[in-house]
Structures are given as C-alpha cells and as structure tokens.
C-alpha cells in the first residue's frame, strides 16, 4: 500500500495553499457592495471614489449612467459600475444585492421658466423641488431596502440652511425634510443617517473662491460676532428668526467636497462613535432652542437619529473618523457586509 507523502515541504505547501484560499474567501465575504444614488454628481462622484479607495465594491446610479468628465481617466473610476436610472420614472433601479447605500440626489436649481415680477425672473418650482429632493430620496431608500441594504446615508442640508431658506426655496427645504423622514421610515433611526452641509466647494470648482471665502469667514472675530449676535437676539421677544439665519449661513465656512465625502462614508461604515454623536446632538439641541423650534424638533424625534449638521461637524467627522486608514479598517473588518439585510420582496 502506497503511503501518503508527508514530507515537510509538501505539508508547508499544502498549508500555505489553504491559507491563501482562506484569505481569498475572507476578502470575498467581507467586501461590502454599496450603491451611490447620484454617483455621477459633484459630491456623489467623490463618495464613489472614497468608497473604492476604502475597499468597497460600488455601483453608481444616475440619469447619465456615466462617470463625470473629471474622473474618466482616474484609476478608481474603472472599479465602479456606472448604471443609468431615473428615480422619478424607474421604481426598480438595477441594483443587485447591496449592503449599504448613499443618496446624493437633490436639486435646488431654479426653474427654466421665466416668471415676471420675480427676482431677476428666477423662479423655483415648489412641486418639482419636493419631488426631486423628497420623492426621489424615498424611492432610492425603498430600492436600497429591497436590495438588502442595512444602512443608508442621505446627503441633506444643514439645519441652519433649512431654517433660513424658506420663501422661494421652501420646496427645497420641505423636500430635504421629506427625504430625511423617508430614510428614517424605511431604515429606522439606528440605520439611517443624514449629513447636512450648506455651501460645498473644492475639487477644482471655484478653487480661488473657496480659499478667499474661508479666509474671510473662518476667523475667530467673525465666529465670535455670530455667537454674540445670536445671544443678544435670543434675549429679545422676536428671538432668532430665519432672516437672522440667512446672515449666519452666509458667514459659515464652506465645506470642502472631499471632507463631505469622507463624512458620508464614515457614517455609512460606522466609524463615528456614539459619544461623538451624543455631543453633536447636544450642539443641535442648543441651536434648535436658540431658533425657538426645539419643541417641534422633539415632537418630530429629530434628535433620535444620526445627523451630522453643518460644516464644523462635517469637518470633525472627516478628519477624526473618516481618514483613509479608518475607513479601510472598517471595510476590512466586514462590519457593513456582516450587517447586510435580507433582500425583501418588491413593492407593487
């Protein structure tokens, strides 16, 4: 009878082979697949890039279905599935199974229709903005939930922005609030998150303006002036009103697009700790109280879910929780893939 070869070299080669196979299996098991709605856009494309660099498999869905021109020659671009879908007409976009999703879909462009008597003829269509910010987000969240996503991050607008810009932009504000509510309804407060910037620059867009703007407003004197004005207005009968918040938004430093993308990915991949989120909620509670809307926000349970509010919180999350090494470690740990939900039946 032939005896099996148990030479040391053969054993070492066999064990090495098994380790390599195990390693490939482990990688396949923990690599999360993420859908980015609006992935061809200014912010969405940077979210795709950040997720790819962290080790995720990414599918982008947009009206064009194409990579943006700035990224067409980039190496990471070839690792994204670019698919075409219009959420307002396509209730079942081509996703396949996914573990998480991000929505960067939104619109605050004025209507192309000229309106006499308005500001330089500009007109914002209320119903169109609610549809393209609210309904589109609800449909993206529903599609992501059906496809098995366990977590959803929505690119909204800062609470100061929402408080300040009513009037002509009320459709945008109501649409963003409807989008937040839709994501929470679809995923629950524990698995839903919103990131709310105001002005976003960078990535070659108005580079000189970004530097000049930040140099003008991101200084201690301007910050102190805003805090003093809010304190003074909070003590009078009128309080801090939306007209005051317009000035606050104008004096808020812009967010850099790369930092917004990293903050979004940090929320999706779970690198933002609960202690930090609790501190953010206290900041938000104080702001809501200053604006006289705390009771309304508490009734809406607005403090019950993850909301990264404004450029300061976004910058802190990006720099402390969204570094490339932290995001890559989160992907390697398999947290999002391990938490992936089951694919649910399509809605009628």
């Amino acid at each position: 009878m032939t005896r099996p070869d148990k030479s040391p070299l053969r054993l070492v080669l066999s064990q090495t082979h098994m380790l390599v196979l195990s390693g490939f299996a482990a990688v396949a098991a923990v690599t999360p697949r993420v859908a980015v709605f609006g992935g061809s856009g200014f912010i969405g494309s940077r979210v795709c890039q950040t997720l790819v660099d962290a080790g995720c498999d990414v599918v982008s869905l947009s009206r064009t279905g194409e990579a943006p021109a700035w990224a067409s020659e980039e190496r990471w671009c070839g690792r994204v599935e670019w698919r075409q879908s219009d959420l307002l007409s396509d209730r079942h976009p081509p996703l396949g199974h996914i573990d998480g999703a991000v929505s960067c879909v939104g619109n605050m462009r004025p209507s192309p229709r000229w309106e006499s008597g308005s500001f330089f003829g500009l007109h914002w269509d209320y119903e169109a903005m609610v549809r393209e910010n609210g309904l589109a987000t609800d449909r993206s969240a529903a599609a992501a939930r059906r496809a098995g996503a366990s977590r959803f991050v929505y690119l909204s607008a800062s609470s100061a922005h929402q408080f300040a810009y009513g009037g002509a932009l009320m459709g945008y504000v109501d649409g963003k609030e409807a989008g937040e509510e839709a994501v929470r309804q679809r995923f629950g407060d524990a698995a839903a998150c919103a990131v709310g910037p105001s002005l976003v620059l960078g990535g070659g867009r108005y580079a000189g303006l970004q530097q000049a703007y930040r140099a003008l407003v991101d200084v201690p004197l301007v910050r102190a002036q805003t805090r003093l004005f809010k304190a003074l207005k909070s003590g009078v009968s009128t309080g801090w009103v939306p007209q005051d918040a317009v000035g606050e938004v104008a004096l808020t430093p812009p967010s850099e697009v790369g930092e917004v993308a990293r903050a979004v990915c940090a929320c999706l991949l779970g690198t933002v700790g609960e202690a930090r989120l609790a501190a953010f909620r206290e900041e938000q509670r104080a702001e809501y109280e200053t604006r006289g809307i705390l009771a309304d926000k508490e009734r809406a349970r607005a403090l019950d879910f993850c909301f990264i509010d404004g450029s300061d919180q976004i910058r802190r999350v990006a720099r402390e929780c969204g570094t490339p090494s932290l995001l890559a470690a989160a992907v390697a740990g398999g947290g999002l893939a391990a938490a992936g939900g089951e694919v649910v039946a399509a809605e009628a």
Side-chain angles (χ1 to χ4, degrees):
M1 182 171 60
T2 304
R3 304 181 64 129
D5 185 353
K6 294 185 179 180
S7 66
L9 178 59
R10 177 62 63 87
L11 287 174
V12 168
L13 290 175
S14 175
Q15 291 169 359
T16 301
H17 179 68
M18 293 301 296
L19 285 172
V20 170
L21 291 177
S22 298
F24 279 124
V27 169
V30 302
T31 301
R33 189 166 186 268
V34 178
V36 180
F37 297 92
S40 297
F42 175 56
I43 300 175
S45 58
R46 271 76 182 186
V47 171
C48 290
Q49 179 183 17
T50 304
L51 288 170
V52 167
D53 289 345
C56 294
D57 293 334
V58 178
V59 54
S60 163
L61 291 99
S62 65
R63 286 174 175 170
T64 67
E66 298 176 352
W70 73 267
S72 59
E73 301 299 322
E74 298 281 335
R75 193 179 211 174
W76 63 267
C77 189
R79 296 169 56 193
V80 177
E81 299 175 46
W82 303 97
R83 298 184 178 181
Q84 185 176 16
S85 179
D86 186 341
L87 291 167
L88 294 179
S89 59
D90 184 2
R91 296 181 66 91
H92 302 285
L95 287 176
H97 179 79
I98 59 174
D99 300 292
V102 173
S103 174
C104 297
V105 173
N107 175 28
M108 65 178 300
R109 294 185 301 274
S111 169
R113 178 170 60 86
W114 175 276
E115 183 171 279
S116 177
S118 64
F119 182 71
F120 291 104
L122 294 177
H123 165 65
W124 282 267
D125 186 300
Y126 177 86
E127 292 183 355
M129 285 198 290
V130 170
R131 200 166 49 245
E132 295 188 18
N133 291 286
L135 178 60
T137 302
D138 181 42
R139 289 191 174 175
S140 66
R145 185 71 185 89
R146 288 194 301 268
S150 64
R151 196 172 298 151
F152 195 103
V153 181
Y154 173 46
L155 188 71
S156 185
S158 71
S159 64
H161 195 116
Q162 294 182 36
F163 183 64
Y165 292 124
L169 290 173
M170 186 56 73
Y172 175 76
V173 173
D174 287 351
K176 286 298 185 183
E177 290 182 345
E180 292 174 12
E181 183 60 27
V183 173
R184 295 175 66 188
Q185 289 289 335
R186 299 286 185 182
F187 281 84
D189 287 343
C193 184
V195 176
S198 51
L199 179 63
V200 182
L201 297 174
R205 174 184 283 189
Y206 309 120
L209 175 61
Q210 180 189 13
Q211 295 173 2
Y213 200 159
R214 183 169 289 279
L216 179 66
V217 301
D218 196 11
V219 294
L221 181 61
V222 174
R223 295 293 190 103
Q225 173 186 309
T226 301
R227 288 194 297 269
L228 176 61
F229 189 40
K230 291 172 82 170
L232 293 174
K233 286 298 298 281
S234 299
V236 300
S237 58
T238 56
W240 185 256
V241 295
Q243 291 87 339
D244 299 318
V246 171
E248 177 188 6
V249 171
L251 293 175
T252 298
S255 293
E256 197 277 324
V257 65
E259 291 187 341
V260 175
R262 293 199 303 277
V264 166
C265 294
C267 293
L268 181 71
L269 298 174
T271 62
V272 189
E274 182 54 41
R276 189 179 304 277
L277 292 176
F280 287 167
R281 290 189 190 104
E282 289 307 308
E283 293 175 7
Q284 292 159 17
R285 181 184 298 276
E287 289 293 335
Y288 294 152
E289 188 169 16
T290 297
R291 297 167 192 159
I293 58 174
L294 178 59
D296 293 338
K297 291 295 184 179
E298 288 181 332
R299 277 193 294 273
R301 299 181 297 104
L303 294 165
D304 290 356
F305 82 117
C306 168
F307 182 38
I308 310 302
D309 187 11
S311 59
D312 285 344
Q313 291 189 0
I314 287 172
R315 175 176 275 196
R316 277 181 275 173
V317 170
R319 295 186 174 186
E320 299 169 16
C321 310
T323 64
S325 59
L326 283 175
L327 298 179
V331 172
L336 183 61
E342 296 180 357
V343 178
V344 298
E347 297 173 352

